[in-house]
Amino acid sequence: MQIYLLKSFVAISYLATSAVAAHQLRRDLVDKYDECLVLKYNIQFLNEETGKEEYEKEACTCELNDGTIAELNDIDKKLCAKLISSESFLSSSSGFNFDVATQEVSIPIGATLESSTVENSWGIGSKNRRRMAVTTGDKTILVVRAKSPDSETSSDENKLREEILGIGGTDVTNLASQYSACSYGQLTFSPNTLYGNQGILTTIITNNVEGVANSVIRNAMTSQAQIDLGISQLRDTADHVLLCIPPGTDGSWIGYAFINSWLSVFNDRWCEYPSVLMHEIGHNLNLAHSGEGNNEYDDQSGMMGYSYSSDEGPVMCFNGPKSYQLGWFPNYQTDVADSAPFYWKGALIGTANRDQAATCNPGDYCDTIVFRLIPENGNEYYVAFNRKDGINSGVREGANQVMITNRSRGTSFGPSLIFQKMNANSVYTIQNFGSEGDLTVTVDDIVLNQGSRSYAEVTIQFGEIDTPSPTAATPSPTAA
């Protein structure tokens, strides 16, 4: 538990967004909240001059016991950085005051703030509200669109059902199809048919949209959807809830999602584009951004970098660290620690060619999709072959190259950066990997065969070790 002394006023802005909230405005009361669940997000913006996506720095919000998600304005950045999205609770020695008249939550000056982390599973109406990211299974989706006095979500229910879930119409690449493809059917999305119209709900709000902050419309849609569905918490309706905000809100924002949580929010038409959908749901699944150089979002070898305003692509999956974190290839990943010498020489295959992996016999250097290299000190390194084919045929960077990617230690939420893109006959050295010295990654060859087994021939060596010559791998049988 961490304890902080509040020395300045912290306000959480929230406006009346429904008939219920409007009724509360007329009451001369101050509601009391003991705690709030911290939710973090990064919001994507479109730079209208360059046409490229940009991101606002990580922000903290508070989810109150009644389901309100309110902005934590002016919270200390260092404190926000220490808190864990969907796991950290904030409580105040003097409580949180929710002023019904002003619709603000305040913490009295001089109050002691405590942060705690829950370890148990999500439970409604109690402190047990942690939602752990689960990256396998069939997950339900509820999509909410809105009509307001001055605007309406551009896509109708049928269009959203097609573009997000691939139901009806002719859409080929969408959120459901690409997650299923990238995970080889281990993570699938389907509509929650208990609510809305086959997973899509249209709600009518009283707020005007033009020039209004997206957070106000977000809360208006959430509140009204709960009234329409006769429920107390929108998060109870599905594993993932997507809000498609009508056009006209303030700023050129694209979308955002709460990390390790249930809600994602999109600016109108961006609800239709598979890359931004996969990116934001990736945040729900506890994935951080993928970057390159000084740009935290410039890794275009996977879906956690930039997003694209394209209806049918780009068709690609995730980079090495994200593929490892998602846990979809346990039989094709290897950890290399600094504690002992290591030698491997074999075929590094892309996620797109998993089914082309050779059968692994005793004594083989088995085909591998991703290596996780854990040095004695500092960040980890990941080695993966970025095969441009099939489910990864639209990759925008590092196609058919061996990628060396760096990220913070561990396999939970953490951004990654591309360190090296390697072609055949190239070497990358991680100096002082451990007490045995340097670790080297050598790309001996890259073999590309259209429609058959493709791979990078790679050697990884750390320290001195006997290097027996294993028997040649036996190719997997093909269907007749």
Side-chain angles (χ1 to χ4, degrees):
M1 176 182 294
Q2 299 289 324
I3 300 177
Y4 311 91
L5 178 64
L6 187 71
K7 297 182 179 179
S8 61
F9 180 79
V10 177
I12 307 173
S13 299
Y14 181 65
L15 300 179
T17 57
S18 68
V20 172
H23 174 70
Q24 288 177 330
L25 277 172
R26 295 191 293 268
R27 297 164 52 203
D28 186 20
L29 295 173
V30 174
D31 292 334
K32 206 77 167 175
Y33 292 88
D34 296 325
E35 64 186 8
C36 76
L37 178 69
V38 174
L39 297 178
K40 292 185 177 184
Y41 71 93
N42 295 86
I43 189 167
Q44 296 187 65
F45 284 93
L46 182 66
N47 186 318
E48 295 178 344
E49 293 183 1
T50 66
K52 296 192 71 174
E53 289 80 13
E54 296 178 354
Y55 294 78
E56 192 174 79
K57 288 297 183 182
E58 185 176 75
C60 284
T61 65
C62 251
E63 183 179 13
L64 303 173
N65 288 337
D66 65 357
T68 300
I69 299 177
E71 306 297 316
L72 268 170
N73 298 325
D74 303 322
I75 188 173
D76 183 79
K77 291 182 179 179
K78 292 182 179 179
L79 172 57
C80 179
K82 292 179 180 179
L83 300 173
I84 304 172
S85 183
S86 207
E87 297 185 30
S88 293
F89 277 87
L90 282 180
S91 59
S92 166
S93 60
S94 301
F96 295 90
N97 295 329
F98 186 81
D99 190 313
V100 176
T102 63
Q103 292 286 283
E104 292 181 339
V105 173
S106 62
I107 308 168
I109 294 175
T112 300
L113 289 179
E114 295 183 357
S115 70
S116 58
T117 302
V118 286
E119 298 297 336
N120 38 2
S121 60
W122 188 278
I124 302 307
S126 71
K127 189 173 179 177
N128 306 332
R129 292 190 293 168
R130 183 189 188 192
R131 173 175 291 222
M132 291 299 294
V134 178
T135 59
T136 59
D138 183 29
K139 304 301 176 185
T140 55
I141 291 277
L142 177 66
V143 180
V144 182
R145 62 185 300 276
K147 295 180 180 180
S148 77
D150 65 342
S151 190
E152 179 179 356
T153 303
S154 296
S155 299
D156 63 19
E157 293 185 357
N158 290 332
K159 182 67 170 176
L160 291 174
R161 193 178 299 108
E162 175 188 355
E163 297 293 345
I164 296 172
L165 294 166
I167 298 174
T170 59
D171 190 71
V172 176
T173 304
N174 50 70
L175 172 73
S177 69
Q178 194 62 11
Y179 261 110
S180 179
C182 291
S183 68
Y184 286 82
Q186 295 174 83
L187 178 62
T188 58
F189 292 100
S190 59
N192 189 330
T193 56
L194 297 178
Y195 300 98
N197 179 14
Q198 289 186 296
I200 313 294
L201 173 69
T202 297
T203 191
I204 300 174
I205 59 175
T206 58
N207 304 64
N208 284 328
V209 169
E210 188 64 35
V212 176
N214 75 79
S215 59
V216 173
I217 305 305
R218 175 194 74 209
N219 288 333
M221 291 174 65
T222 299
S223 178
Q224 190 60 49
Q226 290 174 170
I227 294 172
D228 294 345
L229 297 174
I231 58 174
S232 61
Q233 304 286 352
L234 189 60
R235 64 172 176 252
D236 291 348
T237 59
D239 294 300
H240 298 274
V241 177
L242 288 66
L243 301 184
C244 301
I245 304 287
T249 52
D250 183 43
S252 56
W253 66 284
I254 292 171
Y256 58 94
F258 295 101
I259 296 163
N260 194 22
S261 190
W262 57 277
L263 183 64
S264 55
V265 185
F266 304 87
N267 191 353
D268 196 41
R269 289 286 189 189
W270 288 94
C271 242
E272 301 176 15
Y273 304 141
S275 66
V276 70
L277 288 163
M278 290 190 69
H279 180 109
E280 299 305 342
I281 294 298
H283 285 318
N284 280 172
L285 298 175
N286 211 29
L287 299 181
H289 285 133
S290 299
E292 184 175 12
N294 295 323
N295 189 326
E296 187 181 348
Y297 322 99
D298 204 26
D299 178 355
Q300 298 180 75
S301 69
M303 286 296 194
M304 294 312 295
Y306 290 123
S307 297
Y308 308 87
S309 55
S310 172
D311 176 43
E312 291 296 339
V315 177
M316 60 182 179
C317 295
F318 298 93
N319 69 7
K322 270 58 175 184
S323 293
Y324 188 103
Q325 182 182 341
L326 288 163
W328 294 333
F329 308 102
N331 297 327
Y332 302 94
Q333 60 192 39
T334 300
D335 288 6
V336 180
D338 71 289
S339 56
F342 178 84
Y343 180 87
W344 180 88
K345 182 181 180 67
L348 195 64
I349 60 173
T351 58
N353 297 147
R354 185 204 69 170
D355 291 342
Q356 295 176 5
T359 300
C360 189
N361 300 310
D364 290 349
Y365 295 127
C366 301
D367 286 5
T368 301
I369 288 178
V370 59
F371 280 94
R372 176 190 177 199
L373 311 180
I374 311 169
E376 184 177 7
N377 299 298
N379 287 353
E380 300 176 353
Y381 298 79
Y382 288 75
V383 184
F385 179 44
N386 190 27
R387 175 70 172 121
K388 183 177 181 178
D389 191 22
I391 61 175
N392 202 47
S393 59
V395 66
R396 295 293 183 92
E397 181 178 9
N400 298 320
Q401 291 181 298
V402 172
M403 311 291 284
I404 308 288
T405 314
N406 183 276
R407 64 147 289 163
S408 56
R409 297 177 82 89
T411 57
S412 60
F413 185 85
S416 63
L417 289 174
I418 294 175
F419 265 35
Q420 190 75 19
K421 290 173 279 192
M422 302 179 68
N423 296 311
N425 302 310
S426 60
V427 179
Y428 184 80
T429 301
I430 302 173
Q431 296 182 341
N432 302 314
F433 185 79
S435 59
E436 297 288 335
D438 300 342
L439 181 147
T440 59
V441 178
T442 304
V443 180
D444 302 304
D445 196 7
I446 292 178
V447 179
L448 303 178
N449 295 306
Q450 189 68 31
S452 61
R453 188 167 181 264
S454 299
Y455 59 93
E457 186 178 310
V458 173
T459 302
I460 298 177
Q461 183 162 3
F462 169 56
E464 297 296 327
I465 191 172
D466 292 335
T467 56
S469 299
T471 59
T474 303
S476 301
T478 58

